[in-house]
Short mmCIF file of all heavy atoms in Angstrom, two decimals:
data_model
loop_
_atom_site.label_atom_id
_atom_site.label_comp_id
_atom_site.label_asym_id
_atom_site.label_seq_id
_atom_site.Cartn_x
_atom_site.Cartn_y
_atom_site.Cartn_z
N LEU A 10 90.58 94.74 78.38
CA LEU A 10 90.17 93.55 79.14
C LEU A 10 91.35 92.60 79.32
O LEU A 10 91.54 92.03 80.41
CB LEU A 10 89.02 92.84 78.42
CG LEU A 10 87.66 93.55 78.47
CD1 LEU A 10 86.65 92.80 77.61
CD2 LEU A 10 87.15 93.64 79.90
N LYS A 33 106.71 81.67 105.48
CA LYS A 33 107.91 80.84 105.65
C LYS A 33 108.89 81.51 106.59
O LYS A 33 109.47 80.86 107.49
CB LYS A 33 108.58 80.60 104.29
CG LYS A 33 107.88 79.57 103.41
CD LYS A 33 108.62 79.35 102.12
CE LYS A 33 110.01 78.78 102.35
NZ LYS A 33 110.73 78.51 101.11
N ASP A 82 119.85 63.32 125.58
CA ASP A 82 118.46 63.30 126.04
C ASP A 82 117.73 64.58 125.62
O ASP A 82 116.57 64.55 125.18
CB ASP A 82 118.42 63.16 127.57
CG ASP A 82 118.82 61.77 128.04
OD1 ASP A 82 118.78 60.84 127.20
OD2 ASP A 82 119.18 61.63 129.22
N LEU A 202 90.06 88.87 93.52
CA LEU A 202 89.23 88.72 92.32
C LEU A 202 87.89 89.43 92.49
O LEU A 202 87.42 90.13 91.58
CB LEU A 202 89.00 87.23 92.03
CG LEU A 202 90.20 86.45 91.50
CD1 LEU A 202 89.88 84.96 91.44
CD2 LEU A 202 90.60 86.94 90.11
N ILE A 281 59.05 140.90 73.50
CA ILE A 281 60.17 139.99 73.25
C ILE A 281 61.41 140.46 74.00
O ILE A 281 62.16 139.67 74.59
CB ILE A 281 60.47 139.88 71.74
CG1 ILE A 281 59.30 139.19 71.04
CG2 ILE A 281 61.76 139.11 71.48
CD1 ILE A 281 59.42 139.16 69.53
N ASP A 312 53.25 134.65 82.70
CA ASP A 312 53.95 135.45 83.71
C ASP A 312 54.83 134.54 84.58
O ASP A 312 54.50 133.37 84.81
CB ASP A 312 52.95 136.19 84.61
CG ASP A 312 52.19 137.26 83.84
OD1 ASP A 312 52.82 137.91 82.97
OD2 ASP A 312 50.98 137.43 84.09
N ASP A 327 67.21 117.66 85.93
CA ASP A 327 65.95 117.27 86.58
C ASP A 327 65.02 118.48 86.72
O ASP A 327 63.80 118.37 86.50
CB ASP A 327 66.23 116.66 87.95
CG ASP A 327 66.91 115.30 87.85
OD1 ASP A 327 66.74 114.65 86.80
OD2 ASP A 327 67.59 114.90 88.81
N ILE A 329 64.95 121.10 84.77
CA ILE A 329 64.46 121.43 83.43
C ILE A 329 63.38 120.45 83.01
O ILE A 329 62.35 120.84 82.43
CB ILE A 329 65.62 121.41 82.42
CG1 ILE A 329 66.67 122.47 82.76
CG2 ILE A 329 65.11 121.60 81.00
CD1 ILE A 329 66.12 123.87 82.84
N GLU A 358 59.86 129.12 93.64
CA GLU A 358 60.22 129.72 94.93
C GLU A 358 61.20 128.82 95.68
O GLU A 358 61.18 127.59 95.53
CB GLU A 358 58.97 129.94 95.78
CG GLU A 358 57.95 130.88 95.15
CD GLU A 358 56.69 131.02 95.99
OE1 GLU A 358 56.61 130.33 97.04
OE2 GLU A 358 55.80 131.78 95.61
N ALA A 359 62.05 129.43 96.49
CA ALA A 359 63.03 128.67 97.29
C ALA A 359 63.15 129.31 98.66
O ALA A 359 63.21 130.54 98.78
CB ALA A 359 64.39 128.66 96.60
N LYS A 365 59.71 125.15 95.74
CA LYS A 365 58.30 125.02 95.36
C LYS A 365 58.13 125.52 93.93
O LYS A 365 58.37 126.69 93.64
CB LYS A 365 57.40 125.82 96.30
CG LYS A 365 55.92 125.66 96.00
CD LYS A 365 55.07 126.43 97.00
CE LYS A 365 53.58 126.28 96.68
NZ LYS A 365 52.74 127.06 97.63
#
Side-chain angles (χ1 to χ4, degrees):
L10 288 174
K33 283 182 63 178
D82 288 341
L202 288 172
I281 293 174
D312 293 322
D327 291 336
I329 297 303
E358 299 177 357
K365 183 178 179 182

